[in-house]
Coordinates of all heavy atoms in Angstrom, one line a residue:
L1 N 116.6 95.6 121.2 CA 115.3 96.1 120.8 C 114.1 95.6 121.7 O 113.0 96.1 121.6 CB 114.9 95.6 119.4 CG 115.7 96.2 118.2 CD1 115.4 95.6 116.9 CD2 115.6 97.7 118.2
E2 N 114.5 94.7 122.6 CA 113.4 94.2 123.5 C 112.7 95.2 124.3 O 111.4 95.2 124.4 CB 114.0 93.1 124.5 CG 114.4 91.8 123.8 CD 115.0 90.8 124.7 OE1 115.0 91.0 125.9 OE2 115.6 89.9 124.2
P3 N 113.3 96.3 124.8 CA 112.6 97.3 125.5 C 111.5 98.0 124.6 O 110.4 98.3 125.0 CB 113.6 98.4 125.9 CG 114.9 97.6 126.0 CD 114.8 96.5 124.9
L4 N 111.8 98.1 123.3 CA 110.8 98.7 122.4 C 109.6 97.8 122.3 O 108.5 98.2 122.4 CB 111.5 98.8 121.0 CG 110.5 99.3 119.9 CD1 110.0 100.7 120.1 CD2 111.2 99.2 118.5
Y5 N 109.8 96.5 122.1 CA 108.7 95.6 122.0 C 107.9 95.4 123.3 O 106.8 94.9 123.2 CB 109.2 94.2 121.5 CG 109.8 94.2 120.1 CD1 111.1 93.9 119.9 CD2 109.0 94.7 119.0 CE1 111.6 93.9 118.6 CE2 109.5 94.7 117.8 CZ 110.8 94.3 117.5 OH 111.4 94.4 116.3
A6 N 108.5 95.8 124.4 CA 107.8 95.7 125.7 C 106.7 96.8 125.8 O 105.8 96.7 126.6 CB 108.7 95.7 126.8
E7 N 106.9 97.8 125.0 CA 106.0 99.0 125.1 C 104.8 98.7 124.1 O 105.0 98.1 123.1 CB 106.7 100.3 124.6 CG 107.8 100.7 125.6 CD 107.3 101.1 126.9 OE1 106.2 101.7 127.0 OE2 108.0 100.7 127.9
P8 N 103.6 99.2 124.5 CA 102.5 99.1 123.6 C 102.7 100.0 122.4 O 103.3 101.1 122.5 CB 101.3 99.5 124.4 CG 101.8 100.4 125.5 CD 103.2 99.9 125.7
G9 N 102.2 99.6 121.2 CA 102.3 100.4 120.0 C 101.5 101.6 120.1 O 101.0 102.0 121.1
P10 N 101.3 102.3 119.0 CA 101.8 101.8 117.7 C 103.2 102.3 117.5 O 103.6 103.3 118.0 CB 100.8 102.5 116.7 CG 100.4 103.8 117.4 CD 100.4 103.4 118.9
Y11 N 103.9 101.6 116.7 CA 105.2 102.0 116.3 C 105.5 101.4 114.9 O 104.8 100.5 114.4 CB 106.3 101.6 117.3 CG 106.3 100.1 117.7 CD1 106.9 99.1 116.9 CD2 105.6 99.8 118.9 CE1 106.9 97.8 117.3 CE2 105.6 98.4 119.3 CZ 106.2 97.5 118.5 OH 106.2 96.2 118.9
A12 N 106.5 101.9 114.2 CA 106.8 101.5 112.9 C 108.3 101.2 112.8 O 109.1 101.8 113.6 CB 106.5 102.5 111.8
S13 N 108.7 100.3 111.9 CA 110.1 100.0 111.7 C 110.4 100.1 110.2 O 109.6 99.6 109.4 CB 110.4 98.6 112.3 OG 111.8 98.3 112.0
V14 N 111.5 100.7 109.9 CA 111.9 100.8 108.5 C 113.3 100.5 108.3 O 114.1 100.5 109.3 CB 111.6 102.2 107.9 CG1 110.1 102.6 107.9 CG2 112.4 103.3 108.6
Y15 N 113.7 100.2 107.1 CA 115.1 100.0 106.8 C 115.5 101.2 105.9 O 114.9 101.4 104.8 CB 115.3 98.7 106.0 CG 116.7 98.5 105.5 CD1 117.7 98.1 106.3 CD2 117.0 98.8 104.2 CE1 119.0 97.9 105.9 CE2 118.3 98.6 103.7 CZ 119.3 98.2 104.5 OH 120.6 98.1 104.1
L16 N 116.5 101.9 106.3 CA 117.0 103.0 105.5 C 118.4 102.7 105.0 O 119.3 102.4 105.7 CB 117.1 104.3 106.4 CG 117.8 105.5 105.7 CD1 116.9 106.0 104.5 CD2 117.9 106.6 106.7
D17 N 118.5 102.6 103.7 CA 119.8 102.3 103.0 C 120.6 103.6 103.1 O 120.3 104.6 102.5 CB 119.5 102.0 101.5 CG 120.8 101.7 100.7 OD1 121.9 101.7 101.3 OD2 120.6 101.5 99.5
T18 N 121.7 103.5 103.8 CA 122.7 104.6 104.0 C 123.9 104.4 103.2 O 125.0 105.0 103.5 CB 123.0 104.9 105.4 OG1 123.6 103.7 106.0 CG2 121.7 105.3 106.2
S19 N 123.8 103.7 102.1 CA 125.0 103.5 101.2 C 125.5 104.8 100.8 O 124.8 105.7 100.4 CB 124.6 102.6 100.0 OG 124.1 101.4 100.3
R20 N 126.8 104.9 100.7 CA 127.4 106.2 100.3 C 128.2 106.1 99.0 O 129.1 106.9 98.7 CB 128.3 106.7 101.5 CG 127.6 106.8 102.8 CD 128.4 107.3 103.9 NE 128.7 108.7 103.8 CZ 127.9 109.7 104.0 NH1 126.6 109.4 104.4 NH2 128.2 111.0 103.9
D21 N 127.9 105.0 98.3 CA 128.6 104.8 97.0 C 128.0 105.5 95.8 O 128.0 104.9 94.7 CB 128.8 103.3 96.8 CG 127.4 102.6 96.7 OD1 126.4 103.2 97.1 OD2 127.4 101.4 96.2
V22 N 127.5 106.7 96.0 CA 126.9 107.5 95.0 C 127.6 108.8 94.9 O 128.3 109.2 95.9 CB 125.4 107.6 95.2 CG1 124.7 106.3 95.0 CG2 125.1 108.2 96.5
E23 N 127.3 109.6 93.9 CA 128.0 110.9 93.7 C 127.7 111.9 94.9 O 128.6 112.5 95.4 CB 127.5 111.5 92.4 CG 128.3 112.7 92.1 CD 128.0 113.3 90.7 OE1 127.8 112.4 89.8 OE2 128.0 114.5 90.5
R24 N 126.5 112.0 95.3 CA 126.1 112.9 96.4 C 125.4 112.1 97.5 O 124.2 112.2 97.6 CB 125.2 114.0 95.8 CG 125.9 114.9 94.8 CD 125.1 115.9 94.1 NE 124.4 116.8 95.1 CZ 123.3 117.5 94.9 NH1 122.8 117.4 93.7 NH2 122.8 118.2 95.8
P25 N 126.2 111.4 98.3 CA 125.5 110.5 99.3 C 124.6 111.2 100.3 O 123.5 110.7 100.6 CB 126.7 109.9 100.0 CG 127.9 110.7 99.7 CD 127.6 111.4 98.4
E26 N 125.0 112.4 100.8 CA 124.1 113.1 101.8 C 122.7 113.3 101.2 O 121.7 113.1 101.8 CB 124.7 114.3 102.3 CG 126.0 114.1 103.1 CD 127.2 113.9 102.3 OE1 127.2 114.1 101.1 OE2 128.3 113.5 102.9

């Protein structure tokens, strides 16, 4: 990720839960 942090912002970071243990994961 260092190249990303070397660039001036703005930028955002998120965590996307891609768990597939549900009936309709997609």
Side-chain angles (χ1 to χ4, degrees):
L1 292 174
E2 287 177 15
L4 172 66
Y5 293 122
E7 296 294 320
Y11 50 85
S13 176
V14 298
Y15 173 81
L16 175 62
D17 177 4
T18 59
S19 300
R20 303 183 73 75
D21 59 346
V22 292
E23 188 172 325
R24 296 175 56 200
E26 293 82 11

